[in-house]
C-alpha cells in the first residue's frame, strides 16, 4: 500500500456508522445484509465482525474491487462483492435468499473526492471526468458538447443553481474559443458567472459540480431504480436504510417511504387508490430521520448534510410503483438526455 492510500485510509470515516449498526439490530441472529455502496468498506467490515451476519456488497466503482476481493478472501463464506449499479440490484440478490437489510450510503466516497484525477473536487487541476464507474459519459463530454439550453437545465434542476443561465452561457462562450479541458478552467467560468455576494458558507462551484456529477452518473435514476428493486426483493420485516446528502436525494427517499406506507392520503393499506398503484410496501413511516451526532460532526465535518432514513417492509405483495417514477420524471428525463 502506498503512502497516499494509507493517509487517505486514516481519514476515512464511514458516515453515521453507529446509527447504521443500531438500525440493523439484532445482529446476533442469522441475517443477510446488502451493502449497496461498499466504498471504503466501512459498513461491510463492521457488519462482518458479527458471527451470524453475511454481507453482499456492491459498488459501481472498479477502484474498490481489490479491497473488496481481499475481504472476500478473509471472509469466504460471509462476504461477496459485485461491481454493479443500484439499477442491477436484482442481479446480486439470489431469489431464494432474500435480504434482511439493504443499505444505501449515497454520494461520493472520500477516496473518490480526494483522487484529483477523477475530477470530482474543485481543488483538482486535472480532467473534468466525474465518472463514478459504469457511467456512459464524462463531465468533460457534457460541458463540451451539450447545447446551452440543456446545460442550463442540468445545472438549474440537478444543481438547484439559481445562476444556471449565466454559467451555461459562459461555458458555451469559452468553449467556442477552446475546448474546456481542466477542472480549473471550469471553476474559473463558474466564478466569473456568479454574483459577487454569494454565500460564503458553500463553495461557489458546489451546485454546478453536483449537477454535473448527478447527470454523468444518472444518480436520481439509479436511486429510484435501487429503491424500487430493494422493496421488491427484501424480506417482509426487512429494513431499507438510506443515507442521503442533498435535497433531491432526500426528497425522493422521503416521498417513497411516506407515500408507500399507510398514511393520510392512503387511509387503508387494502384500499386501492385512483390509479390502483399506491401500495403499502412499508410500515407506517412518519418522516423520521436521524443526523450525525455532534461528536461525529467534529471528527468528520463532511458528514454535516447526512440524513439517515429507514423503512420496514410489510408483507404486502410487490406491485410496480409507477406513480413514484412519474413523480420524479422531471429529474430522470434530464438524465436520459442523449449526449
Ligand atoms: C459514500 S460512499 C460509501 C462509503 C461506505 N459506506 C464506507 O463506509 O466506506 C458511496 C459509494 O457508493 C458508490 N455508488 C454510488 N452510486 C452507486 C450506484 N448507483 N451503484 C453502485 N454504487 C454506487 C460510489 O461509487 C461510492 O463508492
Amino acid at each position: 500500500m502506498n503512502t497516499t492510500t494509507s493517509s487517505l485510509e486514516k481519514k476515512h470515516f464511514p458516515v453515521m456508522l453507529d446509527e447504521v449498526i443500531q438500525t440493523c439490530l439484532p445482529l446476533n441472529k442469522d441475517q443477510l445484509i446488502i451493502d449497496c455502496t461498499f466504498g471504503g468498506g466501512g459498513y461491510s467490515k463492521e457488519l462482518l465482525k458479527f458471527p451470524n451476519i453475511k454481507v453482499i456488497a456492491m459498488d459501481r466503482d472498479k477502484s474498490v474491487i481489490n479491497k473488496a476481493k481481499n475481504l472476500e478472501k478473509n471472509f469466504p463464506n460471509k462476504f461477496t462483492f459485485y461491481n454493479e449499479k443500484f439499477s442491477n440490484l436484482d442481479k446480486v440478490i439470489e431469489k431464494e435468499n432474500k435480504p434482511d437489510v439493504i443499505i444505501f450510503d449515497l454520494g461520493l466516497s472520500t477516496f473518490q473526492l480526494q483522487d484529483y484525477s477523477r475530477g470530482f473536487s474543485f481543488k483538482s487541476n486535472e480532467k473534468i471526468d466525474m465518472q463514478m464507474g459504469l457511467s456512459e459519459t464524462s463531465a468533460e463530454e457534457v460541458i463540451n458538447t451539450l447545447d446551452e439550453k440543456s446545460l442550463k437545465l442540468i445545472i438549474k434542476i440537478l444543481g438547484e443553481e439559481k445562476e444556471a443561465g449565466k454559467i451555461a452561457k459562459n461555458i458555451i462562450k469559452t468553449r467556442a474559443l477552446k475546448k474546456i479541458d481542466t477542472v480549473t478552467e471550469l471553476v474559473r467560468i463558474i466564478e466569473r458567472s456568479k454574483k459577487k455576494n454569494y454565500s460564503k458558507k458553500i463553495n461557489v462551484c458546489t451546485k454546478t459540480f453536483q449537477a454535473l456529477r448527478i447527470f454523468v452518473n444518472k444518480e436520481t435514476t439509479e436511486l429510484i431504480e435501487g429503491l424500487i428493486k430493494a422493496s421488491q426483493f427484501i424480506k417482509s420485516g426487512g429494513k431499507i436504510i438510506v443515507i442521503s446528502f442533498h435535497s433531491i436525494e432526500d426528497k425522493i427517499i422521503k416521498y417513497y417511504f411516506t407515500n408507500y406506507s399507510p398514511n393520510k392520503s392512503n387511509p387503508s393499506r387494502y384500499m386501492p387508490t385512483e390509479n390502483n398503484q399506491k401500495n403499502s410496501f412499508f410500515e407506517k413511516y412518519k418522516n423520521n430521520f436521524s443526523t450525525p451526532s455532534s461528536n461525529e460532526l467534529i471528527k468528520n465535518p463532511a458528514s454535516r448534510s447526512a440524513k439517515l432514513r429507514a423503512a420496514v417492509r410489510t408483507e404486502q405483495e410487490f406491485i410496480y410503483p409507477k406513480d413514484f417514477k412519474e413523480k420524479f420524471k422531471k429529474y430522470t428525463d434530464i438524465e436520459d438526455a442523449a449526449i
Side-chain angles (χ1 to χ4, degrees):
M1 191 185 286
N2 65 36
T3 39
T4 328
T5 315
S6 60
S7 61
L8 280 180
E9 200 86 68
K10 273 185 215 137
K11 283 187 211 147
H12 179 63
F13 299 110
V15 170
M16 301 186 75
L17 178 62
D18 291 345
E19 292 82 352
V20 168
I21 297 297
Q22 282 297 319
T23 314
C24 291
L25 293 177
L27 287 163
N28 58 356
K29 64 169 185 126
D30 289 350
Q31 285 207 69
L32 173 63
I33 298 184
I34 313 265
D35 178 358
C36 294
T37 47
F38 179 77
Y43 298 165
S44 287
K45 283 189 226 157
E46 193 62 27
L47 290 164
L48 287 167
K49 290 180 183 165
F50 295 85
N52 296 325
I53 299 303
K54 285 190 178 167
V55 177
I56 295 177
M58 62 192 272
D59 199 299
R60 62 190 297 170
D61 188 348
K62 66 177 184 332
S63 79
V64 310
I65 293 177
N66 278 348
K67 187 179 285 176
K69 291 288 159 199
N70 278 335
L71 214 54
E72 275 182 349
K73 273 189 217 134
N74 293 339
F75 296 93
N77 302 315
K78 275 170 67 80
F79 180 75
T80 323
F81 174 81
Y82 296 88
N83 182 212
E84 269 297 354
K85 295 193 281 191
F86 303 161
S87 49
N88 286 329
L89 185 57
D90 50 326
K91 290 193 185 158
V92 317
I93 298 176
E94 300 154 13
K95 300 278 177 293
E96 66 286 359
N97 198 5
K98 289 186 162 194
D100 298 271
V101 180
I102 301 182
I103 311 171
F104 299 88
D105 175 19
L106 302 174
L108 287 178
S109 69
T110 325
F111 305 104
Q112 289 166 326
L113 192 65
Q114 293 183 355
D115 178 352
Y116 288 173
S117 70
R118 313 270 311 249
F120 288 115
S121 165
F122 8 89
K123 291 184 195 149
S124 160
N125 186 24
E126 303 198 29
K127 238 176 74 183
I128 321 160
D129 186 56
M130 297 195 192
Q131 298 183 71
M132 282 185 182
L134 307 172
S135 320
E136 286 156 21
T137 184
S138 66
E140 184 191 36
E141 191 181 9
V142 172
I143 63 167
N144 284 293
T145 58
L146 285 189
D147 61 26
E148 187 175 332
K149 198 170 149 221
S150 308
L151 283 172
K152 180 180 168 186
L153 200 65
I154 291 170
I155 300 170
K156 185 174 169 204
I157 305 296
L158 300 180
E160 301 181 313
E161 167 62 73
K162 289 199 185 93
E163 292 174 81
K166 234 163 136 199
I167 296 170
K169 194 177 273 327
N170 283 333
I171 288 175
I172 302 290
K173 265 194 201 162
T174 311
R175 82 181 195 207
L177 305 172
K178 178 199 162 294
K179 182 170 171 254
I180 305 163
D181 286 317
T182 64
V183 173
T184 313
E185 288 169 58
L186 178 61
V187 166
R188 290 211 183 104
I189 296 170
I190 300 167
E191 284 172 347
R192 257 195 288 128
S193 314
K194 294 277 287 183
K195 288 198 193 98
K196 290 289 165 272
N197 60 348
Y198 49 76
S199 151
K200 295 276 184 297
K201 275 199 199 142
I202 65 163
N203 187 294
V204 63
C205 299
T206 302
K207 293 182 171 187
T208 306
F209 272 56
Q210 173 186 306
L212 291 171
R213 198 197 82 198
I214 293 176
F215 180 79
V216 166
N217 299 291
K218 296 191 172 198
E219 289 182 38
T220 61
T221 309
E222 279 295 312
L223 175 59
I224 290 167
E225 296 295 334
L227 288 173
I228 293 175
K229 289 196 167 159
S231 52
Q232 182 175 3
F233 292 105
I234 199 163
K235 251 185 204 157
S236 57
K239 290 172 197 156
I240 300 178
I241 304 173
V242 196
I243 298 171
S244 66
F245 291 86
H246 60 75
S247 62
I248 299 177
E249 289 170 347
D250 192 52
K251 213 169 4 187
I252 293 172
I253 302 153
K254 179 180 158 188
Y255 179 88
Y256 196 45
F257 288 177
T258 312
N259 281 271
Y260 290 82
S261 72
N263 59 41
K264 276 188 220 131
S265 58
N266 185 16
S268 160
R269 65 165 68 179
Y270 304 108
M271 198 171 85
T273 54
E274 64 293 352
N275 57 8
N276 232 358
Q277 279 293 330
K278 216 147 206 173
N279 307 306
S280 290
F281 294 151
F282 306 115
E283 287 177 8
K284 200 169 179 68
Y285 180 80
K286 289 182 89 182
N287 191 20
N288 321 321
F289 63 87
S290 45
T291 53
S293 65
S294 44
N295 270 349
E296 175 161 2
L297 290 173
I298 294 166
K299 247 187 4 194
N300 181 19
S303 68
R304 66 190 169 277
S305 44
K307 264 188 188 173
L308 183 154
R309 296 180 183 270
V312 179
R313 184 70 167 85
T314 57
E315 283 178 1
Q316 194 199 279
E317 186 196 341
F318 177 80
I319 303 170
Y320 197 83
K322 258 204 219 153
D323 60 341
F324 173 45
K325 284 190 81 162
E326 204 51 42
K327 169 88 185 163
F328 295 102
K329 221 169 153 334
K330 165 174 144 187
Y331 302 115
T332 52
D333 277 357
I334 294 175
E335 291 178 353
D336 275 343
I339 274 283

